[in-house]
Amino acid sequence: MAAKTQDYTAMMKDMMGAFPVDQKAMESMFKSQTAFAEKMSAVAIDAAQQSTDLSARWTQDTLTKMSAITQARTEPADYAKAMTDFATASAESAAEHMAAFADIAKKVQTETLELMMAMGKDMSTDMQDVARKATSDMTSAAKKASAK
């Protein structure tokens, strides 16, 4: 005769029912998490847009400077001068654009840190509220149990 298979779904339901969950606290935590994710996404998207714009400007600047190289010259030395001028301008442009990329990264880092600090503060407050409620509930339950 085969043994009856245990109903694990019912067992899990009973087990989870034994641990009361404050739905309001869960809802509050969910809202906090989604708000945090929205803000972090906004920071990332803004940084991506700024980086893309900067890359496009850098490309446009480079292409504009390259047009000077492609012009026909009468003297061979003029080609060397045009190439030297292009190399100098490209090096200066690279330094400027890399500094702009660093500014974008610094802004992202600062905004991320501010969001993380705010989230930590919110979570700490939420945890304190949950701990107070749990302590109150446990004290109340203990008083009821000792009164019997």
Side-chain angles (χ1 to χ4, degrees), residues 113-133:
L113 183 59
E114 288 171 357
L115 286 173
M116 296 294 280
M117 295 293 287
M119 183 65 173
K121 184 178 178 183
D122 290 347
M123 286 179 66
S124 175
T125 303
D126 290 346
M127 292 300 287
Q128 287 174 351
D129 292 344
V130 168
R132 277 191 209 108
K133 185 174 184 333

Side-chain angles (χ1 to χ4, degrees), residues 3-19:
K4 184 177 177 185
T5 305
Q6 288 187 350
D7 184 4
Y8 287 106
T9 304
M11 189 170 59
M12 287 299 289
K13 186 176 178 182
D14 291 342
M15 184 180 75
M16 294 306 288
F19 295 105

Side-chain angles (χ1 to χ4, degrees), residues 5 35 39 46-47 58 65-66 73 79 86 100 104 117 131 138 146-147:
T5 305
K39 290 173 185 172
D46 184 50
W58 192 355
K65 291 171 187 163
M66 285 185 75
R73 313 245 188 259
Y79 287 103
F86 174 75
I104 292 169
M117 295 293 287
M138 292 299 285
S146 64

